[in-house]
Amino acid sequence: MELFQAKDDYILQSGDRALWCSRKDGTMTVRPATDLLLAWNPVCLGLVEGVIGKIQLHTDLPLGLVLIRQKALVGHLPGNHKVYKITKIAVIPLSDEEPQELELELCKKHHFGIDKPEKLAQSPDESKLMKTLSQIKSNVAVPIKKKVKENKEKERLERRLLDELYKIFMDSDSFYYSMTYDLTNSVQRQGDSDKSDLPLWKQVDDRFFWNKHMIQELIDLQVPEVDFWVIPIIQGFVQVEELVVNYNETSDEERSSPDTPPKEITCVDDIHPRFTVALISRRSRHRAGMRYKRRGVDTDGHVANYVETEQLIHVHSHTLSFVQTRGSVPVFWSQAGYRYNPRPRIEKGEKETMTYFAAHFEEQLKVYKKQVIINLVDQSGREKIIGDAYLKQVLLYNNSNLTYVSFDFHEHCRGMKFENVQILTDAISDIITDMKWAWVDQAGVICKQEGIFRVNCMDCLDRTNVVQAAIARVVMEQQLKKLGVMPPEQPLPLKCYRIYQVMWANNGDTISRQYAGTAALKGDFTRTGERKLAGVMKDGVNSANRYYLNRFRDAYRQAVIDLMMGLPVTEDLYSIFSKEKEHEEKEKESQRGAQEQVGLLLQTYMQLLLPDDEKFHGGWALINCDMSLIDATNKDEDVLLLLSDKAYYIAFYDEEADKVNQYQRLNLEGLEKIEIGPEPTLFGKPKFCCMRLHFKNEETSGYFHTLRAATRNPEDDGKGGRVNLTRISWGSRTNLLTKFKGAPALHRAKVLSSTNSPL
């Protein structure tokens, strides 16, 4: 559709339809396309894909018209319905100001041979008026400084909020729509609905109609002409893939393996069964927002981070659907988002919570009939308080349609053994079978899903996604065997399974970016079925990113989300500017705080990394100072040193590449000696004291690691004297050497030497 700029309006035109939006007060009206002749000097700015709605980012700022500037085809759902992802938006201020460079695609009808749209020409009277105003301005005094400062703050706020709005739509792959398919409703709800003859936007599930408030003025016109312009948009995730069940085809991993001889690539015959798998996640617009800004339940019974995920399988004329949900624990609780891994706290007592807990599940049972709660929070430690409060409310609610299952994810999957999730799926296999799934064909409904799994952890992100993917896989294999696509005794071909894993990993990453600002932790397991150290290290970085992101960016993003939903903004956004400056100054002086954060991160992924048969002794963030490994830029190389009772681990981490470049696990039996001395240097006096670990590699001596602390001890005399190699471990400062000497495998006469010469 074409976008025109006139003196008093912006006009969208598609065929014989037109939508006018006033630049004076933002009023929207639908008019025939021929009315374009009545507009004052309309200029075509380019092409857009559709209207999202209007938003006012602050009372000091004008309304903005939000348009779909660019879309990408995600795939085709059963019935050949096209699904699009919004990749770029345009926001046009509804004011007399000229719009910024919109970078719209130019329509060939109005811009044949032109690279950029023309600027709107001023009328002769308006031109004279502008000259007069310029003369007046040149004769008045310089504006008061306070007014100038206010204008600058206003401009800065506008840029910041506008930037956040663009990021919400364009950076997280979050918003999807279809012109012919109702993405807000599952296959089962669509089959049960009596609204199939209504326009698409009137069929939607109100919970997932994300731009409802933004487009409400158009809906309120209550005329048939608006149906074309109202596009229901969901926030969530959609991916569609076609898979071929071919047990003779080698997987990508096997094909790339040096042990596998190369094979000639041939086309897959039609004899191999094919099926389409689609994953649709739809986030509720109620209690929407960022992790530390939105937790638990509200007084309407809505919970934070509520997402319905539907897995679709389509074979020939058969469409099978399985739905799960996730959502924050429905009690009143919070976490102060200004620390890494803050301690949760309960905000209201049991009796006060009961009413709103009941309201939440009454709505859930009304929609889904039965609920099987799978609670993944830790049954010990800081998460226990939330799990206990949840169970207590379930017992008080005492509803026969509610089933409660507790699975301590971290306890069962300790040592990165996430495959142990199968313990859970095996335990609930009868529940999965009894729940069934929705199944429709050309003739109508064959069967319905009876209830859903409601899965949660603390954030309903990482652990939740792993478990939901595992349950969905069990269901999918049952469905494919029922349809005859898979043989009864065979698992899904590895290539199909890998694609399926990637889909669920992408789903987890996208939902995580929407709620926490970073990709999902444990995503490498969901993506590959294996938990690797690189994934653990990346989790540590993502955890740190989440910690820093939630401080100030979340305040802006939460404000924009609230405005999209039509909710009042509770924070003084102007005051955040000064808070950001204070934060920057404090960060320069927060070395000690940074060490505490490193310690907490070490603790977090050490619990995931250590196998059950190894006991953790300590972890340290150090610097590699081996001259043979330091690069030409002399940039510090970050090293993570982890010590258990049987081995020590050295991981070389590239901060810019955001990955582990090298990783070694060395048995303590192979450790020959430990040396302490000044760091090796080519020029000048050494500034740091280092530790060198000598070890055998396959019974060959002469190998070593040379490490130092990230900062010098304040008591160091500056002459290369001893530096205290200490780091936070389990909340206390523990000497690294003491830990090494205390390791059981080192009790045999290991040599600890000290030297004044550079190592």
Side-chain angles (χ1 to χ4, degrees):
M1 60 185 68
E2 299 157 316
L3 172 65
F4 292 89
Q5 177 186 355
K7 181 175 180 290
D8 297 323
D9 301 274
Y10 286 104
I11 303 167
L12 288 157
Q13 187 166 308
S14 179
D16 59 354
R17 306 177 183 91
L19 176 66
W20 288 50
C21 195
S22 170
R23 298 177 66 179
K24 303 296 183 184
D25 58 11
T27 303
M28 302 177 84
T29 54
V30 286
R31 299 169 66 168
T34 52
D35 279 6
L36 185 65
L37 299 172
L38 305 177
W40 177 271
N41 192 20
V43 174
C44 181
L45 300 179
L47 300 176
V48 296
E49 301 293 343
V51 182
I52 296 173
K54 294 188 302 183
I55 190 170
Q56 186 172 19
L57 294 175
H58 198 275
T59 53
D60 292 343
L61 304 174
L63 282 165
L65 179 63
V66 187
L67 305 171
I68 303 171
R69 178 158 70 94
Q70 196 174 91
K71 65 184 180 183
L73 179 65
V74 174
H76 295 78
L77 292 176
N80 202 33
H81 297 285
K82 294 180 180 179
V83 179
Y84 298 99
K85 176 172 64 179
I86 296 174
T87 56
K88 292 181 181 178
I89 63 167
V91 182
I92 303 175
L94 297 176
S95 66
D96 293 331
E97 295 179 10
E98 286 291 307
Q100 299 296 319
E101 188 64 48
L102 299 176
E103 299 180 357
L104 301 180
E105 180 184 348
L106 303 182
C107 71
K108 296 180 180 178
K109 182 166 62 174
H110 298 102
H111 299 95
F112 182 75
I114 301 175
D115 292 332
K116 290 186 177 181
E118 301 172 15
K119 292 289 184 182
L120 181 65
Q122 295 176 333
S123 65
D125 293 339
E126 188 176 2
S127 180
K128 289 179 181 178
L129 177 62
M130 293 304 294
K131 287 181 180 179
T132 305
L133 287 173
S134 298
Q135 291 172 356
I136 293 173
K137 286 181 180 180
S138 65
N139 294 325
V140 298
V142 178
I144 302 172
K145 289 184 178 181
K146 183 178 179 181
K147 188 70 175 177
V148 172
K149 183 179 179 181
E150 287 177 356
N151 288 337
K152 286 184 178 180
E153 285 190 346
K154 179 180 173 182
E155 290 174 4
R156 184 182 173 193
L157 178 64
E158 182 177 16
R159 286 196 303 270
R160 188 68 180 84
L161 292 174
L162 193 59
D163 181 58
E164 206 59 58
L165 179 63
Y166 276 106
K167 286 180 179 178
I168 287 174
F169 276 93
M170 294 161 59
D171 284 2
S172 59
D173 294 335
S174 291
F175 292 92
Y176 299 81
Y177 71 96
S178 172
M179 302 300 292
T180 58
Y181 187 87
D182 180 9
L183 289 175
T184 69
N185 273 305
S186 65
V187 167
Q188 184 160 312
R189 289 201 299 275
Q190 289 182 38
D192 292 341
S193 174
D194 56 359
K195 301 178 181 179
S196 56
D197 295 332
L198 297 177
L200 189 63
W201 69 268
K202 292 184 178 180
Q203 301 176 31
V204 299
D205 187 323
D206 185 72
R207 297 175 296 168
F208 308 118
F209 187 178
W210 252 71
N211 60 323
K212 181 181 179 180
H213 172 75
M214 298 175 72
I215 203 74
Q216 188 64 51
E217 183 184 332
L218 204 54
I219 294 173
D220 290 342
L221 293 177
Q222 296 184 348
V223 293
E225 289 79 9
V226 306
D227 296 342
F228 174 81
W229 300 102
V230 179
I231 303 174
I233 293 168
I234 66 165
Q235 186 188 40
F237 174 77
V238 181
Q239 186 171 346
V240 184
E241 298 288 345
E242 186 179 45
L243 304 183
V244 179
V245 183
N246 182 2
Y247 289 95
N248 299 321
E249 187 180 23
T250 57
S251 68
D252 293 337
E253 293 97 322
E254 294 171 326
R255 194 179 297 119
S256 61
S257 171
D259 299 327
T260 305
K263 293 183 180 180
E264 184 178 349
I265 299 175
T266 57
C267 294
V268 179
D269 296 330
D270 292 334
I271 60 172
H272 298 297
R274 298 169 179 265
F275 68 96
T276 299
V277 59
L279 208 55
I280 305 173
S281 283
R282 35 187 88 99
R283 177 183 294 280
S284 173
R285 66 187 181 89
H286 301 301
R287 197 152 175 73
M290 306 305 293
R291 179 169 63 155
Y292 288 114
K293 299 293 183 181
R294 293 291 182 269
R295 289 288 207 191
V297 72
D298 65 13
T299 53
D300 294 317
H302 302 308
V303 295
N305 198 24
Y306 183 89
V307 181
E308 180 188 84
T309 299
E310 181 180 22
Q311 180 175 279
L312 289 175
I313 303 295
H314 183 69
V315 182
H316 303 304
S317 61
H318 296 268
T319 300
L320 295 84
S321 159
F322 184 72
V323 172
Q324 302 178 76
T325 63
R326 68 179 76 189
S328 191
V329 174
V331 299
F332 290 95
W333 65 282
S334 64
Q335 280 178 291
Y338 296 99
R339 296 177 55 199
Y340 172 73
N341 196 15
R343 188 176 296 278
R345 61 176 180 231
I346 300 294
E347 299 289 347
K348 293 185 179 181
E350 289 176 4
K351 291 184 179 179
E352 198 174 358
T353 301
M354 286 175 62
T355 301
Y356 308 107
F357 182 92
H360 172 70
F361 276 107
E362 281 168 9
E363 184 198 18
Q364 295 298 297
L365 294 174
K366 181 181 177 182
V367 176
Y368 302 108
K369 311 308 178 190
K370 296 179 181 179
Q371 291 259 302
V372 179
I373 297 168
I374 298 182
N375 184 15
L376 305 175
V377 303
D378 296 349
Q379 295 174 26
S380 61
R382 65 177 59 203
E383 294 184 4
K384 186 177 186 298
I385 187 175
I386 302 300
D388 289 349
Y390 198 178
L391 177 57
K392 183 67 175 177
Q393 288 296 324
V394 171
L395 295 173
L396 291 170
Y397 187 53
N398 192 25
N399 190 305
S400 60
N401 290 319
L402 210 60
T403 303
Y404 182 88
V405 178
S406 181
F407 182 77
D408 191 329
F409 186 96
H410 286 149
E411 179 63 29
H412 285 90
C413 302
R414 183 178 173 82
M416 301 192 302
K417 295 181 179 178
F418 290 174
E419 64 273 12
N420 287 349
V421 170
Q422 188 174 346
I423 296 171
L424 172 63
T425 55
D426 289 346
I428 62 173
S429 59
D430 290 342
I431 299 177
I432 295 174
T433 302
D434 293 342
M435 191 174 287
K436 303 186 180 66
W437 54 77
W439 185 353
V440 299
D441 65 2
Q442 292 172 329
V445 177
I446 297 174
C447 73
K448 293 184 179 182
Q449 182 175 336
E450 298 176 2
I452 59 158
F453 289 104
R454 185 198 190 279
V455 188
N456 74 274
C457 49
M458 289 295 283
D459 299 329
C460 304
L461 296 176
D462 316 318
R463 290 170 276 182
T464 296
N465 201 66
V466 171
V467 169
Q468 285 194 335
I471 294 172
R473 180 191 177 187
V474 172
V475 173
M476 181 177 69
E477 291 186 346
Q478 290 180 1
Q479 292 171 332
L480 294 176
K481 289 172 182 178
K482 193 80 172 177
L483 292 168
V485 176
M486 279 175 60
E489 303 302 324
Q490 286 271 24
L492 195 66
L494 184 59
K495 186 174 182 180
C496 290
Y497 179 50
R498 288 290 184 249
I499 295 172
Y500 173 79
Q501 284 179 307
V502 168
M503 292 177 70
W504 271 96
N506 292 342
N507 177 68
D509 284 348
T510 302
I511 291 173
S512 181
R513 280 194 293 269
Q514 293 162 8
Y515 187 52
T518 64
L521 312 184
K522 305 172 185 62
D524 59 323
F525 176 80
T526 314
R527 205 174 292 277
T528 66
E530 298 178 3
R531 189 76 173 125
K532 301 177 181 178
L533 178 72
V536 176
M537 293 294 292
K538 189 175 180 64
D539 281 3
V541 174
N542 281 343
S543 292
N545 284 345
R546 288 181 183 180
Y547 160 68
Y548 287 112
L549 283 171
N550 70 47
R551 280 182 168 243
F552 298 110
R553 191 219 58 182
D554 279 7
Y556 295 112
R557 180 155 293 190
Q558 186 65 56
V560 172
I561 291 172
D562 286 344
L563 290 165
M564 289 172 65
M565 299 298 109
L567 301 173
V569 176
T570 56
E571 292 198 56
D572 181 1
L573 297 178
Y574 280 116
S575 70
I576 296 176
F577 296 142
S578 58
K579 288 181 181 179
E580 280 185 306
K581 291 179 181 178
E582 291 174 10
H583 167 67
E584 290 170 1
E585 293 172 0
K586 287 179 180 179
E587 282 299 305
K588 296 176 183 178
E589 303 172 358
S590 63
Q591 292 296 325
R592 184 175 179 180
Q595 287 185 358
E596 292 175 354
Q597 300 309 319
V598 169
L600 284 169
L601 287 175
L602 285 169
Q603 177 180 346
T604 299
Y605 47 75
M606 267 304 301
Q607 288 176 315
L608 295 174
L609 176 63
L610 269 184
D612 291 333
D613 60 346
E614 290 190 21
K615 183 179 179 181
F616 175 56
H617 274 251
W620 299 266
L622 303 173
I623 300 294
N624 173 36
C625 54
D626 192 327
M627 292 302 296
S628 63
L629 297 177
I630 295 176
D631 62 23
T633 63
N634 291 318
K635 185 176 180 180
D636 288 342
E637 186 175 26
D638 296 316
V639 171
L640 186 67
L641 173 62
L642 309 171
L643 176 64
S644 76
D645 59 342
K646 295 182 180 180
Y648 72 93
Y649 304 74
I650 300 286
F652 298 91
Y653 183 72
D654 185 341
E655 187 176 0
E656 292 184 359
D658 196 14
K659 65 181 181 181
V660 173
N661 289 331
Q662 186 180 359
Y663 163 68
Q664 291 177 288
R665 180 188 183 277
L666 299 156
N667 289 325
L668 292 180
E669 296 289 346
L671 185 62
E672 294 183 304
K673 66 178 179 179
I674 303 173
E675 289 183 315
I676 299 295
E679 67 173 335
T681 58
L682 294 176
F683 305 101
K685 295 180 180 180
K687 297 179 180 179
F688 295 91
C689 182
C690 295
M691 177 178 72
R692 179 168 286 172
L693 305 174
H694 293 262
F695 63 93
K696 289 183 180 180
N697 184 15
E698 298 181 354
E699 302 303 320
T700 303
S701 299
Y703 294 89
F704 57 83
H705 292 114
T706 308
L707 309 170
R708 67 166 173 82
T711 57
R712 284 199 297 169
N713 189 336
E715 298 177 359
D716 182 19
D717 58 9
K719 299 178 181 179
R722 182 178 295 276
V723 175
N724 186 15
L725 291 172
T726 58
R727 277 296 177 269
I728 303 298
S729 174
W730 299 112
S732 63
R733 297 180 65 84
T734 307
N735 189 278
L736 184 152
L737 297 177
T738 303
K739 281 287 187 181
F740 260 94
K741 288 189 287 184
L746 287 179
H747 286 324
R748 303 175 187 84
K750 299 294 180 183
V751 180
L752 175 61
S753 63
S754 180
T755 177
N756 290 324
S757 302
L759 292 175

